[in-house]
Amino acid sequence: MNDSNDGPLAALSKTSCRQLAPSLLVSWNARALYLGPAMHLAAHRNAVGVLAIGLDRPLGVALDPADPGRGFSHCRTALIAPNQLHLLAMAGGQYAFLYVDALSDDLKTLQGRCRRRVGTVGFDLDDEDALIALLAGMNRSAEGWRATSGRLVDALSLSPPCTDSRIRKVAGTLLASPSDEANAAQHARQVGLSSSRLQHLFKAQTGVSLRRYRLWARLQATMSGVMDGMTLTHAAHAAGFSSSAHLSAAFKTMFGLPLTALLSDDMQFVRDPG
């Protein structure tokens, strides 16, 4: 466990984070990355796996999200599985959240690099100091992202999508047309599977249900719309949400905070098709 704030890495991280005040949100093909200050998050379930990183101090992961009084496991890196209820404690400072590509081996690769596990959560990614220094020192702009993204891929050993081609096709359809209302049976017919078989394969290979992945696709599309200058209401409708209230409820359930809390004036948005 790495709970210490002392040493040259901590000094580097604190200096870098103070210099890079703007928050950054990157829509990175099927992945997403947030860099910015601590947020007060309620217990929530992400649709895809997420790597949480304390850039200048540890973060805490509740041993029991339903009963925070049981305590927290403290770390600099924590890997949360898809659809896993979790509660994080962040005492100020700067943090990073990497939402992985459910269609790749991202999650499996990162799980293999966790040096400690408590329940379903992996902790203490190997070589985490280098990862923290890379993210803490990144210029939070489109130019900074382009200069860093390749190094981040190498640092995390991320890989291109390698899931069953039928699952890739269905997921690709959801990402390309998030507002489409086709049901599981219709998607299954397009790839020559029964509805039950498609849903079983989709969950087995991505770690998340077809329904939850559709929601992830709609949330990503909404953020991309906002990046393109749409109003939040317009972006929500274009992505398939019935109303702004529907979007807000879905966002809070998946990320643990209201969407409006993320859309601050100093947020830098970057879209990278990968």
Side-chain angles (χ1 to χ4, degrees), residues 143-159:
E143 294 76 17
W145 169 250
R146 284 194 290 270
T148 308
S149 59
R151 294 164 62 198
L152 182 60
V153 168
D154 291 341
L156 293 173
S157 304
L158 301 181
S159 59

Side-chain angles (χ1 to χ4, degrees), residues 8-9 23 37 43 50-51 63 80 119 164 190-191 204 223 233 235 237 245 262 270 274:
L9 174 63
S23 301
V50 59
L51 179 65
L63 299 175
I80 314 293
D164 185 311
Q190 292 174 356
V191 294
M223 295 310 301
T233 299
H237 282 296
L262 192 63
V270 176

Side-chain angles (χ1 to χ4, degrees), residues 5 10 29 67 87 92 98 104 108 113 163 183 203 232 253-254:
N5 287 326
N29 197 0
D67 183 10
L87 176 65
L98 172 67
S104 75
K108 185 185 299 182
R113 293 181 56 184
T163 308
N183 59 30
K203 178 69 178 290
L232 188 56
T253 297
M254 189 171 293

Side-chain angles (χ1 to χ4, degrees), residues 48-128:
V48 298
V50 59
L51 179 65
I53 307 161
L55 295 181
D56 58 2
R57 66 195 66 194
L59 57 90
V61 182
L63 299 175
D64 181 353
D67 183 10
R70 292 188 57 190
F72 291 76
S73 184
H74 295 280
C75 61
R76 293 298 292 273
T77 52
L79 182 64
I80 314 293
N83 210 35
Q84 178 66 46
L85 183 68
H86 61 284
L87 176 65
L88 303 178
M90 296 177 284
Q94 297 279 316
Y95 297 85
F97 293 91
L98 172 67
Y99 299 88
V100 305
D101 180 359
L103 300 180
S104 75
D105 282 338
D106 285 358
L107 183 62
K108 185 185 299 182
T109 297
L110 294 174
Q111 286 173 333
R113 293 181 56 184
C114 292
R115 294 173 296 189
R116 178 169 62 99
R117 180 170 293 277
V118 178
T120 60
V121 180
F123 293 94
D124 307 333
L125 202 70
D126 63 14
D127 207 18
E128 66 179 17

Side-chain angles (χ1 to χ4, degrees), residues 16-71:
S16 301
C17 290
R18 281 196 298 268
Q19 293 171 346
L20 302 172
S23 301
L24 177 71
L25 183 63
V26 181
S27 176
W28 184 17
N29 197 0
R31 302 182 181 107
L33 174 70
Y34 167 82
L35 292 177
M39 298 173 287
H40 181 67
L41 304 180
H44 60 286
R45 301 176 190 270
N46 298 116
V48 298
V50 59
L51 179 65
I53 307 161
L55 295 181
D56 58 2
R57 66 195 66 194
L59 57 90
V61 182
L63 299 175
D64 181 353
D67 183 10
R70 292 188 57 190

